[in-house]
Amino acid sequence: MAILVLTASLTAMVAQAQAAAEIPSGGTLRVATIGEPPNLDIQMVPSDLVSMIAQHIFEQLFAFDAKYEIRPMLAESYQISPDGRTYTIQLRRGVRFHNGKEMTSEDVVASLSRWGRVASRGRIAFQYIDRVEAQGPYTVVLHLRQPFAPLLAFLAFQNTAAAIYPKSVVERFGDQPISEYVGTGPYRFEEWRRDYRIRLVRFEQYAARSDEPSGFAGSKVGYLDAIEFYPVPEAGSRLAGILTGDYDYAIQITKESYPEVQRNPNVKAFTIQPGQWGWVIFNKKQGLMANQTLRQAAQAALDMQPILAAAYGLPTFYRLEPSYYPPGTPWYSKAGAHYYNQKNRALARELMGRAGYRGEPIRLIATTEYDYIYKIATVVAAQWQQAGFNVDLQIYDWATLLDRRSKPDAYDAFVTGHAFVPDPSLITIFGSEYPGWWDSPEKNRLLQAFNSEMDHARRLELWNQLQELIYEEVPAIRVGEEVLFDIGTARLVNMWASPWPNFWNVGLQR
């Protein structure tokens, strides 16, 4: 067995060395994004756009590999006590921030403590974490009040990430959004010219891991000199920019262009599965949709097929699917499926009557910067109107939408997407502080039981109950499953596409 393991290891090392030798160095990668983020505070802002850019600057203690399994990143190793209440994490030595200072346990303690205050997922984790302490410069201990099964997944995930900042930055900005972007990642922040571009450059002192690269984990090498992110709100302009050579990578391309892209030898198409699902999320804190019966009426009214067809185009890019996890994954569930795709306007009107609805306008907010969001919103609004709702559809740029959805008095529902996450407890709406504010006693009871349970079979039973509860209390309406579609220049080398595309270990042929 030892010989087989050694042989496999050597084979992987040789393959990695060969792959590395084939990746060209130098050049600037130009990425067309859907818009401009409000800031790059990856701890605070629950936005995939922020995560996609900022993950090159910041890192966490752990990371997911290409199979969404958890690996140490800034951590060297870790131990979990038998009762699941103590996590002792040894840090890698010699890891430097972009300001030249070495990362130590003081930075980790300050960063995790802030994450527990400002991040929606951090607040969930700190319901279980009692305290974080440094034991010497390279050891951090997390003391838990009770076991928290998905803790490492929370520490690894890059959306509202438990990113490690310098202690000095944490102290300077406190719980306000940071604007001094200093991390440990393979690229450092250089410049942000508003409404034009964000530019990152290779961090020459980056301390790469020695293990095999995979997904967001393992060795990271900055082959590119620089990465530039350009806000390009129109999907057609992003596609045109790739075809003309103005950009090298573009996210969220209209699916109808897929056949054309496949025929073009100068362009690479990236289809991404698991991708994401579309969502209409209701404001449960105040306003009309705080009424659960009215939310059930909104759910009963919808016919998902035309919504999915409008949002995602070609049938190969979407699927009518009530489960939050695709078939074949450990968390696949049919719980609550009978509430999905009801297309029952008579039931919707009956529920409106029970809810005491009198035709008040329902403010549905969306953006055109994500094409699918706009199309979901327009078809949902039309179907609700046909069922008897009075819908006030409001369109904003993405940054404004992010701001408005954080204000309970600014809307009744918003449209968004949610990428695949490895553990259900990472789904955003389970955080009571996430916009929409799902804070029901039953959700909190089930979520706490799910998070505290260490046995997978029992966790699966609890997940079935949680998915059923989503369809019963309707904090959000899931419209279906989407296969993501990005494109890039054929000059890209070693690109691994994901819902959060990253560009370390990527080269550009000249």
Side-chain angles (χ1 to χ4, degrees):
M1 177 62 75
I3 293 174
L4 289 176
V5 171
L6 178 60
T7 301
S9 177
L10 287 173
T11 301
M13 291 173 65
V14 170
Q16 183 182 356
Q18 290 175 337
E22 296 166 358
I23 300 173
S25 295
T28 297
L29 184 82
R30 301 154 299 172
V31 183
T33 71
I34 58 91
E36 191 162 71
N39 60 62
L40 295 179
D41 190 343
I42 197 172
Q43 285 192 347
M44 182 175 280
V45 185
S47 163
D48 289 336
L49 178 58
V50 173
S51 299
M52 183 187 74
I53 299 171
Q55 66 182 336
H56 298 84
I57 305 171
F58 305 109
E59 296 179 306
Q60 297 90 259
L61 294 175
F62 298 88
F64 288 105
D65 67 15
K67 296 180 179 178
Y68 287 98
E69 294 176 351
I70 299 168
R71 290 201 209 169
M73 176 49 66
L74 292 175
E76 180 64 42
S77 61
Y78 66 100
Q79 290 181 319
I80 306 174
S81 64
D83 65 1
R85 296 189 178 190
T86 304
Y87 287 63
T88 303
I89 301 170
Q90 302 296 329
L91 304 178
R92 292 167 56 209
R93 302 188 182 207
V95 174
R96 299 206 171 273
F97 288 108
H98 301 157
N99 61 11
K101 296 183 178 178
E102 186 184 23
M103 178 197 71
T104 68
S105 55
E106 287 190 347
D107 303 301
V108 175
V109 171
S111 297
L112 294 185
S113 299
R114 180 181 187 268
W115 176 68
R117 297 191 302 272
V118 306
S120 54
R121 291 187 177 91
R123 292 190 191 101
I124 293 175
F126 269 74
Q127 292 173 14
Y128 300 83
I129 298 171
D130 180 47
R131 67 185 191 282
V132 183
E133 67 171 346
Q135 290 187 355
Y138 302 109
T139 303
V140 174
V141 182
L142 279 65
H143 299 275
L144 277 63
R145 300 181 183 89
Q146 62 187 95
F148 182 47
L151 178 58
L152 294 183
F154 271 61
L155 294 176
F157 197 46
Q158 65 270 52
N159 187 287
T160 56
I164 305 305
Y165 301 157
K167 180 183 178 183
S168 59
V169 171
V170 173
E171 290 177 341
R172 187 169 306 124
F173 291 91
D175 294 351
Q176 299 303 309
I178 67 165
S179 57
E180 187 177 337
Y181 307 121
V182 179
T184 60
Y187 286 88
R188 62 178 175 81
F189 176 84
E190 183 181 79
E191 179 189 47
W192 188 338
R193 296 167 65 180
R194 292 283 175 180
D195 299 321
Y196 177 51
R197 76 173 186 199
I198 295 170
R199 178 177 165 87
L200 313 181
V201 296
R202 182 171 54 233
F203 178 42
E204 302 294 350
Q205 288 77 47
Y206 177 67
R209 296 187 64 90
S210 58
D211 42 336
E212 185 179 359
S214 177
F216 307 99
S219 175
K220 300 177 182 176
V221 177
Y223 290 98
L224 300 160
D225 293 334
I227 310 170
E228 296 176 347
F229 297 91
Y230 293 84
V232 186
E234 293 291 332
S237 299
R238 294 196 291 275
L239 172 62
I242 293 291
L243 297 178
T244 59
D246 290 335
Y247 307 115
D248 303 302
Y249 194 89
I251 65 170
Q252 298 274 342
I253 298 301
T254 306
K255 310 298 192 296
E256 285 84 351
S257 64
Y258 183 67
E260 174 192 352
V261 168
Q262 276 195 309
R263 292 191 296 268
N264 191 328
N266 298 318
V267 178
K268 287 183 178 178
F270 300 96
T271 56
I272 303 161
Q273 300 185 68
Q276 68 175 14
W277 63 81
W279 247 355
V280 181
I281 296 181
F282 295 108
N283 179 353
K284 280 80 65 186
K285 181 170 283 188
Q286 70 180 67
L288 283 172
M289 304 315 286
N291 185 319
Q292 180 174 304
T293 306
L294 201 56
R295 299 198 300 271
Q296 292 170 336
Q299 179 174 254
L302 294 182
D303 179 354
M304 300 306 182
Q305 174 62 38
I307 297 171
L308 293 171
Y312 306 126
L314 302 178
T316 52
F317 284 98
Y318 67 82
R319 183 174 66 244
L320 284 161
E321 177 57 71
S323 173
Y324 276 76
Y325 282 83
T329 60
W331 300 107
Y332 176 72
S333 172
K334 294 182 179 179
H338 54 290
Y339 293 112
Y340 175 76
N341 194 31
Q342 296 175 71
K343 44 189 169 185
N344 190 338
R345 293 178 190 168
L347 176 59
R349 294 188 186 102
E350 179 186 334
L351 290 168
M352 282 185 229
R354 281 192 224 164
Y357 181 62
R358 297 289 183 271
E360 301 92 331
I362 296 173
R363 298 163 298 168
L364 175 63
I365 63 174
T367 183
T368 57
E369 292 176 21
Y370 284 103
D371 188 56
Y372 75 91
I373 287 180
Y374 175 71
K375 289 174 177 174
I376 288 175
T378 54
V379 181
V380 165
Q383 292 189 8
W384 281 350
Q385 293 274 17
Q386 291 164 1
F389 283 105
N390 177 14
V391 183
D392 176 14
L393 178 58
Q394 302 176 5
I395 305 299
Y396 300 98
D397 64 83
W398 182 237
T400 302
L401 188 147
L402 288 176
D403 178 62
R404 291 188 70 84
R405 77 182 193 183
S406 69
K407 299 174 179 175
D409 62 347
Y411 68 97
D412 296 303
F414 68 93
V415 181
T416 189
H418 195 301
F420 170 86
V421 288
D423 190 286
S425 55
L426 289 165
I427 295 174
T428 53
I429 60 168
F430 287 137
S432 299
E433 300 299 318
Y434 182 78
W437 306 283
W438 189 25
D439 195 29
S440 79
E442 183 62 5
K443 184 270 290 184
N444 292 336
R445 183 189 71 78
L446 280 174
L447 184 64
Q448 182 173 29
F450 180 71
N451 286 340
S452 300
E453 180 59 58
M454 304 300 281
D455 179 75
H456 180 74
R458 177 57 183 151
R459 291 194 85 209
L460 187 56
E461 293 174 9
L462 290 163
W463 165 239
N464 286 332
Q465 295 176 47
L466 275 167
Q467 182 170 295
E468 180 92 21
L469 191 68
I470 293 174
Y471 281 103
E472 290 177 351
E473 295 193 354
V474 202
I477 298 175
R478 172 191 165 88
V479 302
E481 196 75 29
E482 176 193 9
V483 176
L484 294 170
F485 175 38
D486 292 353
I487 61 174
T489 170
R491 296 191 300 121
L492 281 170
V493 179
N494 201 39
M495 181 69 206
W496 175 71
S498 80
W500 309 274
N502 62 70
F503 304 106
W504 57 79
N505 299 335
V506 171
L508 266 179
Q509 290 178 337
R510 298 183 186 280

